[in-house]
Amino acid sequence: QNFLLKQGLLCLLLISLPVSIGGIFLADKIILIAFGQEFIGSTLVMQLLFGVSAFSFQIWLLRLFLISINMHNILLIINLLGLCIRIILDLLLIPRFGILGAAVAAGTSEFLILVSISLHLFCSHFRSKKLSRAIAQGFSFLNLDYKNRKDLNI
């Protein structure tokens, strides 16, 4: 399980980062080709959503992993909390910022779900050295330095 999770996170990271970065830089061209000039104003929204896609790739695998180790109840709670946060942020941001507020709410809730799942797996389920290293390497794109933390016993 540990090896597969590590490899899966790294593989998805290698896929999601180029997609996210490429989408951020090419959003205006994608909108022009797919939807035309009248939608060019939604470029920033599309860039935000492409940025969020890097989180979504990782969340997908972590959700499947939680289900596979029979932790679907924890996943349900995390997803419900993420949904509540998303609804609250939508209610606060959409009236003021429109579709851009919706994109920010989506990105924020996805990031918080990623952090919640990661922290749960890291703190309460996997205290072993191998998986601690796997998660640390899998999330090294966040520039978190878990290897030098003494409280993790790595």
PDB file of all heavy atoms in Angstrom, residues 50-85:
ATOM      1  N   PHE A  50      -7.576  25.903 -13.427  1.00  0.00           N
ATOM      2  CA  PHE A  50      -6.432  25.067 -13.813  1.00  0.00           C
ATOM      3  C   PHE A  50      -5.450  24.936 -12.648  1.00  0.00           C
ATOM      4  O   PHE A  50      -4.877  23.873 -12.433  1.00  0.00           O
ATOM      5  CB  PHE A  50      -5.707  25.636 -15.043  1.00  0.00           C
ATOM      6  CG  PHE A  50      -6.184  25.066 -16.339  1.00  0.00           C
ATOM      7  CD1 PHE A  50      -6.796  25.881 -17.278  1.00  0.00           C
ATOM      8  CD2 PHE A  50      -6.027  23.728 -16.635  1.00  0.00           C
ATOM      9  CE1 PHE A  50      -7.238  25.373 -18.471  1.00  0.00           C
ATOM     10  CE2 PHE A  50      -6.466  23.193 -17.833  1.00  0.00           C
ATOM     11  CZ  PHE A  50      -7.078  24.024 -18.764  1.00  0.00           C
ATOM     12  N   GLY A  51      -5.254  25.991 -11.884  1.00  0.00           N
ATOM     13  CA  GLY A  51      -4.401  25.910 -10.704  1.00  0.00           C
ATOM     14  C   GLY A  51      -4.934  24.927  -9.679  1.00  0.00           C
ATOM     15  O   GLY A  51      -4.186  24.178  -9.063  1.00  0.00           O
ATOM     16  N   VAL A  52      -6.242  24.904  -9.516  1.00  0.00           N
ATOM     17  CA  VAL A  52      -6.889  23.987  -8.572  1.00  0.00           C
ATOM     18  C   VAL A  52      -6.778  22.537  -9.043  1.00  0.00           C
ATOM     19  O   VAL A  52      -6.766  21.615  -8.226  1.00  0.00           O
ATOM     20  CB  VAL A  52      -8.369  24.385  -8.384  1.00  0.00           C
ATOM     21  CG1 VAL A  52      -9.135  23.342  -7.605  1.00  0.00           C
ATOM     22  CG2 VAL A  52      -8.468  25.729  -7.706  1.00  0.00           C
ATOM     23  N   SER A  53      -6.659  22.333 -10.336  1.00  0.00           N
ATOM     24  CA  SER A  53      -6.631  20.961 -10.844  1.00  0.00           C
ATOM     25  C   SER A  53      -5.462  20.157 -10.287  1.00  0.00           C
ATOM     26  O   SER A  53      -5.553  18.937 -10.150  1.00  0.00           O
ATOM     27  CB  SER A  53      -6.618  20.952 -12.377  1.00  0.00           C
ATOM     28  OG  SER A  53      -5.381  21.429 -12.873  1.00  0.00           O
ATOM     29  N   ALA A  54      -4.363  20.818  -9.935  1.00  0.00           N
ATOM     30  CA  ALA A  54      -3.238  20.088  -9.325  1.00  0.00           C
ATOM     31  C   ALA A  54      -3.666  19.457  -8.003  1.00  0.00           C
ATOM     32  O   ALA A  54      -3.275  18.336  -7.682  1.00  0.00           O
ATOM     33  CB  ALA A  54      -2.055  21.026  -9.113  1.00  0.00           C
ATOM     34  N   PHE A  55      -4.502  20.171  -7.221  1.00  0.00           N
ATOM     35  CA  PHE A  55      -5.019  19.609  -5.974  1.00  0.00           C
ATOM     36  C   PHE A  55      -5.997  18.479  -6.260  1.00  0.00           C
ATOM     37  O   PHE A  55      -5.995  17.456  -5.584  1.00  0.00           O
ATOM     38  CB  PHE A  55      -5.746  20.673  -5.140  1.00  0.00           C
ATOM     39  CG  PHE A  55      -4.919  21.859  -4.773  1.00  0.00           C
ATOM     40  CD1 PHE A  55      -5.431  23.129  -4.898  1.00  0.00           C
ATOM     41  CD2 PHE A  55      -3.633  21.713  -4.301  1.00  0.00           C
ATOM     42  CE1 PHE A  55      -4.688  24.236  -4.553  1.00  0.00           C
ATOM     43  CE2 PHE A  55      -2.866  22.806  -3.952  1.00  0.00           C
ATOM     44  CZ  PHE A  55      -3.403  24.076  -4.080  1.00  0.00           C
ATOM     45  N   SER A  56      -6.836  18.679  -7.246  1.00  0.00           N
ATOM     46  CA  SER A  56      -7.886  17.699  -7.547  1.00  0.00           C
ATOM     47  C   SER A  56      -7.310  16.348  -7.939  1.00  0.00           C
ATOM     48  O   SER A  56      -7.852  15.309  -7.571  1.00  0.00           O
ATOM     49  CB  SER A  56      -8.793  18.229  -8.651  1.00  0.00           C
ATOM     50  OG  SER A  56      -9.432  19.406  -8.233  1.00  0.00           O
ATOM     51  N   PHE A  57      -6.217  16.357  -8.682  1.00  0.00           N
ATOM     52  CA  PHE A  57      -5.578  15.097  -9.061  1.00  0.00           C
ATOM     53  C   PHE A  57      -5.154  14.325  -7.811  1.00  0.00           C
ATOM     54  O   PHE A  57      -5.368  13.118  -7.713  1.00  0.00           O
ATOM     55  CB  PHE A  57      -4.340  15.366  -9.931  1.00  0.00           C
ATOM     56  CG  PHE A  57      -4.615  15.568 -11.383  1.00  0.00           C
ATOM     57  CD1 PHE A  57      -5.242  16.712 -11.852  1.00  0.00           C
ATOM     58  CD2 PHE A  57      -4.223  14.608 -12.299  1.00  0.00           C
ATOM     59  CE1 PHE A  57      -5.469  16.906 -13.186  1.00  0.00           C
ATOM     60  CE2 PHE A  57      -4.447  14.787 -13.661  1.00  0.00           C
ATOM     61  CZ  PHE A  57      -5.077  15.942 -14.108  1.00  0.00           C
ATOM     62  N   GLN A  58      -4.517  15.016  -6.870  1.00  0.00           N
ATOM     63  CA  GLN A  58      -4.029  14.376  -5.648  1.00  0.00           C
ATOM     64  C   GLN A  58      -5.188  13.894  -4.779  1.00  0.00           C
ATOM     65  O   GLN A  58      -5.135  12.809  -4.207  1.00  0.00           O
ATOM     66  CB  GLN A  58      -3.141  15.339  -4.858  1.00  0.00           C
ATOM     67  CG  GLN A  58      -1.988  15.922  -5.631  1.00  0.00           C
ATOM     68  CD  GLN A  58      -1.018  14.889  -6.163  1.00  0.00           C
ATOM     69  OE1 GLN A  58      -0.634  13.975  -5.458  1.00  0.00           O
ATOM     70  NE2 GLN A  58      -0.632  15.028  -7.415  1.00  0.00           N
ATOM     71  N   ILE A  59      -6.221  14.716  -4.675  1.00  0.00           N
ATOM     72  CA  ILE A  59      -7.379  14.362  -3.851  1.00  0.00           C
ATOM     73  C   ILE A  59      -8.034  13.088  -4.368  1.00  0.00           C
ATOM     74  O   ILE A  59      -8.466  12.240  -3.582  1.00  0.00           O
ATOM     75  CB  ILE A  59      -8.402  15.517  -3.810  1.00  0.00           C
ATOM     76  CG1 ILE A  59      -7.828  16.689  -3.028  1.00  0.00           C
ATOM     77  CG2 ILE A  59      -9.716  15.071  -3.192  1.00  0.00           C
ATOM     78  CD1 ILE A  59      -8.659  17.950  -3.143  1.00  0.00           C
ATOM     79  N   TRP A  60      -8.099  12.947  -5.668  1.00  0.00           N
ATOM     80  CA  TRP A  60      -8.740  11.774  -6.268  1.00  0.00           C
ATOM     81  C   TRP A  60      -8.090  10.489  -5.745  1.00  0.00           C
ATOM     82  O   TRP A  60      -8.773   9.578  -5.278  1.00  0.00           O
ATOM     83  CB  TRP A  60      -8.630  11.860  -7.794  1.00  0.00           C
ATOM     84  CG  TRP A  60      -9.136  10.661  -8.496  1.00  0.00           C
ATOM     85  CD1 TRP A  60     -10.436  10.335  -8.750  1.00  0.00           C
ATOM     86  CD2 TRP A  60      -8.340   9.604  -9.044  1.00  0.00           C
ATOM     87  NE1 TRP A  60     -10.492   9.134  -9.411  1.00  0.00           N
ATOM     88  CE2 TRP A  60      -9.224   8.667  -9.608  1.00  0.00           C
ATOM     89  CE3 TRP A  60      -6.975   9.357  -9.107  1.00  0.00           C
ATOM     90  CZ2 TRP A  60      -8.779   7.514 -10.230  1.00  0.00           C
ATOM     91  CZ3 TRP A  60      -6.536   8.204  -9.726  1.00  0.00           C
ATOM     92  CH2 TRP A  60      -7.440   7.304 -10.272  1.00  0.00           C
ATOM     93  N   LEU A  61      -6.765  10.424  -5.785  1.00  0.00           N
ATOM     94  CA  LEU A  61      -6.071   9.219  -5.321  1.00  0.00           C
ATOM     95  C   LEU A  61      -6.207   9.041  -3.811  1.00  0.00           C
ATOM     96  O   LEU A  61      -6.430   7.926  -3.332  1.00  0.00           O
ATOM     97  CB  LEU A  61      -4.589   9.271  -5.711  1.00  0.00           C
ATOM     98  CG  LEU A  61      -3.775   8.054  -5.282  1.00  0.00           C
ATOM     99  CD1 LEU A  61      -4.306   6.788  -5.941  1.00  0.00           C
ATOM    100  CD2 LEU A  61      -2.317   8.262  -5.617  1.00  0.00           C
ATOM    101  N   LEU A  62      -6.106  10.118  -3.063  1.00  0.00           N
ATOM    102  CA  LEU A  62      -6.221   9.997  -1.607  1.00  0.00           C
ATOM    103  C   LEU A  62      -7.624   9.546  -1.192  1.00  0.00           C
ATOM    104  O   LEU A  62      -7.766   8.781  -0.234  1.00  0.00           O
ATOM    105  CB  LEU A  62      -5.861  11.323  -0.940  1.00  0.00           C
ATOM    106  CG  LEU A  62      -4.380  11.711  -1.045  1.00  0.00           C
ATOM    107  CD1 LEU A  62      -4.154  13.119  -0.523  1.00  0.00           C
ATOM    108  CD2 LEU A  62      -3.506  10.712  -0.309  1.00  0.00           C
ATOM    109  N   ARG A  63      -8.640   9.988  -1.906  1.00  0.00           N
ATOM    110  CA  ARG A  63     -10.009   9.516  -1.612  1.00  0.00           C
ATOM    111  C   ARG A  63     -10.124   8.020  -1.865  1.00  0.00           C
ATOM    112  O   ARG A  63     -10.688   7.292  -1.044  1.00  0.00           O
ATOM    113  CB  ARG A  63     -11.023  10.274  -2.469  1.00  0.00           C
ATOM    114  CG  ARG A  63     -11.302  11.660  -1.984  1.00  0.00           C
ATOM    115  CD  ARG A  63     -12.262  12.371  -2.897  1.00  0.00           C
ATOM    116  NE  ARG A  63     -12.660  13.643  -2.318  1.00  0.00           N
ATOM    117  CZ  ARG A  63     -13.019  14.693  -3.015  1.00  0.00           C
ATOM    118  NH1 ARG A  63     -13.037  14.644  -4.331  1.00  0.00           N
ATOM    119  NH2 ARG A  63     -13.371  15.806  -2.413  1.00  0.00           N
ATOM    120  N   LEU A  64      -9.598   7.569  -2.987  1.00  0.00           N
ATOM    121  CA  LEU A  64      -9.638   6.129  -3.280  1.00  0.00           C
ATOM    122  C   LEU A  64      -8.854   5.336  -2.240  1.00  0.00           C
ATOM    123  O   LEU A  64      -9.264   4.240  -1.838  1.00  0.00           O
ATOM    124  CB  LEU A  64      -9.092   5.851  -4.678  1.00  0.00           C
ATOM    125  CG  LEU A  64      -9.955   6.309  -5.837  1.00  0.00           C
ATOM    126  CD1 LEU A  64      -9.244   6.046  -7.162  1.00  0.00           C
ATOM    127  CD2 LEU A  64     -11.314   5.634  -5.820  1.00  0.00           C
ATOM    128  N   PHE A  65      -7.742   5.887  -1.799  1.00  0.00           N
ATOM    129  CA  PHE A  65      -6.942   5.206  -0.789  1.00  0.00           C
ATOM    130  C   PHE A  65      -7.704   5.082   0.525  1.00  0.00           C
ATOM    131  O   PHE A  65      -7.708   4.022   1.153  1.00  0.00           O
ATOM    132  CB  PHE A  65      -5.613   5.941  -0.580  1.00  0.00           C
ATOM    133  CG  PHE A  65      -4.693   5.228   0.350  1.00  0.00           C
ATOM    134  CD1 PHE A  65      -4.021   4.090  -0.054  1.00  0.00           C
ATOM    135  CD2 PHE A  65      -4.492   5.690   1.638  1.00  0.00           C
ATOM    136  CE1 PHE A  65      -3.178   3.412   0.807  1.00  0.00           C
ATOM    137  CE2 PHE A  65      -3.650   5.031   2.503  1.00  0.00           C
ATOM    138  CZ  PHE A  65      -2.984   3.884   2.093  1.00  0.00           C
ATOM    139  N   LEU A  66      -8.369   6.158   0.953  1.00  0.00           N
ATOM    140  CA  LEU A  66      -9.162   6.088   2.186  1.00  0.00           C
ATOM    141  C   LEU A  66     -10.255   5.031   2.077  1.00  0.00           C
ATOM    142  O   LEU A  66     -10.509   4.296   3.030  1.00  0.00           O
ATOM    143  CB  LEU A  66      -9.785   7.451   2.508  1.00  0.00           C
ATOM    144  CG  LEU A  66      -8.873   8.487   3.142  1.00  0.00           C
ATOM    145  CD1 LEU A  66      -9.605   9.807   3.295  1.00  0.00           C
ATOM    146  CD2 LEU A  66      -8.333   8.020   4.472  1.00  0.00           C
ATOM    147  N   ILE A  67     -10.895   4.948   0.932  1.00  0.00           N
ATOM    148  CA  ILE A  67     -11.930   3.932   0.736  1.00  0.00           C
ATOM    149  C   ILE A  67     -11.315   2.540   0.800  1.00  0.00           C
ATOM    150  O   ILE A  67     -11.872   1.630   1.427  1.00  0.00           O
ATOM    151  CB  ILE A  67     -12.668   4.156  -0.599  1.00  0.00           C
ATOM    152  CG1 ILE A  67     -13.488   5.451  -0.519  1.00  0.00           C
ATOM    153  CG2 ILE A  67     -13.555   2.966  -0.947  1.00  0.00           C
ATOM    154  CD1 ILE A  67     -14.024   5.928  -1.847  1.00  0.00           C
ATOM    155  N   SER A  68     -10.142   2.375   0.192  1.00  0.00           N
ATOM    156  CA  SER A  68      -9.528   1.042   0.142  1.00  0.00           C
ATOM    157  C   SER A  68      -9.078   0.548   1.510  1.00  0.00           C
ATOM    158  O   SER A  68      -8.951  -0.661   1.714  1.00  0.00           O
ATOM    159  CB  SER A  68      -8.339   1.043  -0.826  1.00  0.00           C
ATOM    160  OG  SER A  68      -7.240   1.711  -0.265  1.00  0.00           O
ATOM    161  N   ILE A  69      -8.815   1.452   2.446  1.00  0.00           N
ATOM    162  CA  ILE A  69      -8.415   1.023   3.790  1.00  0.00           C
ATOM    163  C   ILE A  69      -9.587   1.146   4.767  1.00  0.00           C
ATOM    164  O   ILE A  69      -9.402   1.245   5.972  1.00  0.00           O
ATOM    165  CB  ILE A  69      -7.174   1.787   4.293  1.00  0.00           C
ATOM    166  CG1 ILE A  69      -7.412   3.293   4.353  1.00  0.00           C
ATOM    167  CG2 ILE A  69      -5.952   1.443   3.458  1.00  0.00           C
ATOM    168  CD1 ILE A  69      -6.289   4.078   4.978  1.00  0.00           C
ATOM    169  N   ASN A  70     -10.784   1.149   4.212  1.00  0.00           N
ATOM    170  CA  ASN A  70     -12.027   1.132   4.984  1.00  0.00           C
ATOM    171  C   ASN A  70     -12.167   2.354   5.897  1.00  0.00           C
ATOM    172  O   ASN A  70     -12.615   2.246   7.037  1.00  0.00           O
ATOM    173  CB  ASN A  70     -12.143  -0.166   5.792  1.00  0.00           C
ATOM    174  CG  ASN A  70     -13.573  -0.449   6.176  1.00  0.00           C
ATOM    175  OD1 ASN A  70     -14.509  -0.032   5.495  1.00  0.00           O
ATOM    176  ND2 ASN A  70     -13.760  -1.153   7.276  1.00  0.00           N
ATOM    177  N   MET A  71     -11.804   3.506   5.377  1.00  0.00           N
ATOM    178  CA  MET A  71     -11.948   4.753   6.136  1.00  0.00           C
ATOM    179  C   MET A  71     -12.939   5.683   5.423  1.00  0.00           C
ATOM    180  O   MET A  71     -12.783   6.897   5.425  1.00  0.00           O
ATOM    181  CB  MET A  71     -10.589   5.425   6.318  1.00  0.00           C
ATOM    182  CG  MET A  71      -9.632   4.572   7.127  1.00  0.00           C
ATOM    183  SD  MET A  71      -8.154   5.453   7.577  1.00  0.00           S
ATOM    184  CE  MET A  71      -8.768   6.392   8.955  1.00  0.00           C
ATOM    185  N   HIS A  72     -13.957   5.082   4.853  1.00  0.00           N
ATOM    186  CA  HIS A  72     -14.945   5.863   4.113  1.00  0.00           C
ATOM    187  C   HIS A  72     -15.727   6.814   5.016  1.00  0.00           C
ATOM    188  O   HIS A  72     -16.185   7.854   4.569  1.00  0.00           O
ATOM    189  CB  HIS A  72     -15.887   4.942   3.342  1.00  0.00           C
ATOM    190  CG  HIS A  72     -16.501   3.877   4.182  1.00  0.00           C
ATOM    191  ND1 HIS A  72     -15.831   2.712   4.467  1.00  0.00           N
ATOM    192  CD2 HIS A  72     -17.680   3.820   4.814  1.00  0.00           C
ATOM    193  CE1 HIS A  72     -16.593   1.971   5.245  1.00  0.00           C
ATOM    194  NE2 HIS A  72     -17.717   2.617   5.485  1.00  0.00           N
ATOM    195  N   ASN A  73     -15.864   6.476   6.303  1.00  0.00           N
ATOM    196  CA  ASN A  73     -16.559   7.379   7.228  1.00  0.00           C
ATOM    197  C   ASN A  73     -15.782   8.689   7.409  1.00  0.00           C
ATOM    198  O   ASN A  73     -16.376   9.768   7.434  1.00  0.00           O
ATOM    199  CB  ASN A  73     -16.777   6.714   8.590  1.00  0.00           C
ATOM    200  CG  ASN A  73     -17.769   5.576   8.501  1.00  0.00           C
ATOM    201  OD1 ASN A  73     -18.610   5.546   7.616  1.00  0.00           O
ATOM    202  ND2 ASN A  73     -17.649   4.628   9.412  1.00  0.00           N
ATOM    203  N   ILE A  74     -14.465   8.581   7.534  1.00  0.00           N
ATOM    204  CA  ILE A  74     -13.623   9.770   7.647  1.00  0.00           C
ATOM    205  C   ILE A  74     -13.720  10.580   6.363  1.00  0.00           C
ATOM    206  O   ILE A  74     -13.830  11.815   6.397  1.00  0.00           O
ATOM    207  CB  ILE A  74     -12.154   9.375   7.926  1.00  0.00           C
ATOM    208  CG1 ILE A  74     -12.026   8.649   9.263  1.00  0.00           C
ATOM    209  CG2 ILE A  74     -11.239  10.584   7.856  1.00  0.00           C
ATOM    210  CD1 ILE A  74     -12.408   9.477  10.471  1.00  0.00           C
ATOM    211  N   LEU A  75     -13.681   9.893   5.232  1.00  0.00           N
ATOM    212  CA  LEU A  75     -13.792  10.577   3.944  1.00  0.00           C
ATOM    213  C   LEU A  75     -15.118  11.315   3.822  1.00  0.00           C
ATOM    214  O   LEU A  75     -15.163  12.448   3.350  1.00  0.00           O
ATOM    215  CB  LEU A  75     -13.626   9.575   2.801  1.00  0.00           C
ATOM    216  CG  LEU A  75     -13.713  10.132   1.391  1.00  0.00           C
ATOM    217  CD1 LEU A  75     -12.643  11.188   1.156  1.00  0.00           C
ATOM    218  CD2 LEU A  75     -13.611   9.011   0.380  1.00  0.00           C
ATOM    219  N   LEU A  76     -16.190  10.688   4.279  1.00  0.00           N
ATOM    220  CA  LEU A  76     -17.499  11.335   4.243  1.00  0.00           C
ATOM    221  C   LEU A  76     -17.499  12.614   5.085  1.00  0.00           C
ATOM    222  O   LEU A  76     -17.984  13.660   4.637  1.00  0.00           O
ATOM    223  CB  LEU A  76     -18.584  10.378   4.738  1.00  0.00           C
ATOM    224  CG  LEU A  76     -19.995  10.949   4.822  1.00  0.00           C
ATOM    225  CD1 LEU A  76     -20.511  11.314   3.437  1.00  0.00           C
ATOM    226  CD2 LEU A  76     -20.926   9.961   5.497  1.00  0.00           C
ATOM    227  N   ILE A  77     -16.928  12.549   6.263  1.00  0.00           N
ATOM    228  CA  ILE A  77     -16.885  13.725   7.134  1.00  0.00           C
ATOM    229  C   ILE A  77     -16.051  14.841   6.496  1.00  0.00           C
ATOM    230  O   ILE A  77     -16.473  16.005   6.471  1.00  0.00           O
ATOM    231  CB  ILE A  77     -16.323  13.344   8.525  1.00  0.00           C
ATOM    232  CG1 ILE A  77     -17.324  12.444   9.257  1.00  0.00           C
ATOM    233  CG2 ILE A  77     -15.999  14.585   9.345  1.00  0.00           C
ATOM    234  CD1 ILE A  77     -16.767  11.780  10.492  1.00  0.00           C
ATOM    235  N   ILE A  78     -14.899  14.491   5.961  1.00  0.00           N
ATOM    236  CA  ILE A  78     -14.040  15.492   5.319  1.00  0.00           C
ATOM    237  C   ILE A  78     -14.742  16.116   4.125  1.00  0.00           C
ATOM    238  O   ILE A  78     -14.718  17.336   3.936  1.00  0.00           O
ATOM    239  CB  ILE A  78     -12.683  14.876   4.924  1.00  0.00           C
ATOM    240  CG1 ILE A  78     -11.869  14.545   6.175  1.00  0.00           C
ATOM    241  CG2 ILE A  78     -11.905  15.802   3.994  1.00  0.00           C
ATOM    242  CD1 ILE A  78     -10.611  13.757   5.913  1.00  0.00           C
ATOM    243  N   ASN A  79     -15.394  15.279   3.309  1.00  0.00           N
ATOM    244  CA  ASN A  79     -16.106  15.808   2.147  1.00  0.00           C
ATOM    245  C   ASN A  79     -17.282  16.697   2.547  1.00  0.00           C
ATOM    246  O   ASN A  79     -17.537  17.719   1.908  1.00  0.00           O
ATOM    247  CB  ASN A  79     -16.585  14.676   1.237  1.00  0.00           C
ATOM    248  CG  ASN A  79     -15.465  14.083   0.420  1.00  0.00           C
ATOM    249  OD1 ASN A  79     -14.474  14.738   0.130  1.00  0.00           O
ATOM    250  ND2 ASN A  79     -15.617  12.833   0.046  1.00  0.00           N
ATOM    251  N   LEU A  80     -17.997  16.308   3.594  1.00  0.00           N
ATOM    252  CA  LEU A  80     -19.110  17.140   4.059  1.00  0.00           C
ATOM    253  C   LEU A  80     -18.615  18.478   4.596  1.00  0.00           C
ATOM    254  O   LEU A  80     -19.238  19.520   4.339  1.00  0.00           O
ATOM    255  CB  LEU A  80     -19.929  16.404   5.123  1.00  0.00           C
ATOM    256  CG  LEU A  80     -20.833  15.288   4.611  1.00  0.00           C
ATOM    257  CD1 LEU A  80     -21.472  14.545   5.769  1.00  0.00           C
ATOM    258  CD2 LEU A  80     -21.889  15.841   3.673  1.00  0.00           C
ATOM    259  N   LEU A  81     -17.506  18.459   5.320  1.00  0.00           N
ATOM    260  CA  LEU A  81     -16.922  19.719   5.794  1.00  0.00           C
ATOM    261  C   LEU A  81     -16.468  20.583   4.620  1.00  0.00           C
ATOM    262  O   LEU A  81     -16.676  21.801   4.610  1.00  0.00           O
ATOM    263  CB  LEU A  81     -15.767  19.448   6.750  1.00  0.00           C
ATOM    264  CG  LEU A  81     -16.150  18.893   8.116  1.00  0.00           C
ATOM    265  CD1 LEU A  81     -14.898  18.516   8.907  1.00  0.00           C
ATOM    266  CD2 LEU A  81     -16.992  19.888   8.885  1.00  0.00           C
ATOM    267  N   GLY A  82     -15.859  19.953   3.631  1.00  0.00           N
ATOM    268  CA  GLY A  82     -15.454  20.682   2.427  1.00  0.00           C
ATOM    269  C   GLY A  82     -16.645  21.279   1.698  1.00  0.00           C
ATOM    270  O   GLY A  82     -16.590  22.410   1.216  1.00  0.00           O
ATOM    271  N   LEU A  83     -17.739  20.522   1.645  1.00  0.00           N
ATOM    272  CA  LEU A  83     -18.959  21.022   1.015  1.00  0.00           C
ATOM    273  C   LEU A  83     -19.518  22.216   1.778  1.00  0.00           C
ATOM    274  O   LEU A  83     -19.905  23.229   1.170  1.00  0.00           O
ATOM    275  CB  LEU A  83     -20.007  19.909   0.937  1.00  0.00           C
ATOM    276  CG  LEU A  83     -21.380  20.300   0.404  1.00  0.00           C
ATOM    277  CD1 LEU A  83     -21.294  20.743  -1.046  1.00  0.00           C
ATOM    278  CD2 LEU A  83     -22.354  19.153   0.573  1.00  0.00           C
ATOM    279  N   CYS A  84     -19.551  22.125   3.102  1.00  0.00           N
ATOM    280  CA  CYS A  84     -20.053  23.242   3.918  1.00  0.00           C
ATOM    281  C   CYS A  84     -19.192  24.488   3.727  1.00  0.00           C
ATOM    282  O   CYS A  84     -19.725  25.601   3.574  1.00  0.00           O
ATOM    283  CB  CYS A  84     -20.094  22.845   5.392  1.00  0.00           C
ATOM    284  SG  CYS A  84     -21.353  21.607   5.766  1.00  0.00           S
ATOM    285  N   ILE A  85     -17.879  24.301   3.719  1.00  0.00           N
ATOM    286  CA  ILE A  85     -16.980  25.436   3.495  1.00  0.00           C
ATOM    287  C   ILE A  85     -17.223  26.032   2.114  1.00  0.00           C
ATOM    288  O   ILE A  85     -17.281  27.259   1.949  1.00  0.00           O
ATOM    289  CB  ILE A  85     -15.511  25.002   3.679  1.00  0.00           C
ATOM    290  CG1 ILE A  85     -15.241  24.710   5.149  1.00  0.00           C
ATOM    291  CG2 ILE A  85     -14.551  26.057   3.139  1.00  0.00           C
ATOM    292  CD1 ILE A  85     -13.935  24.023   5.416  1.00  0.00           C
TER     293      ILE A  85
END
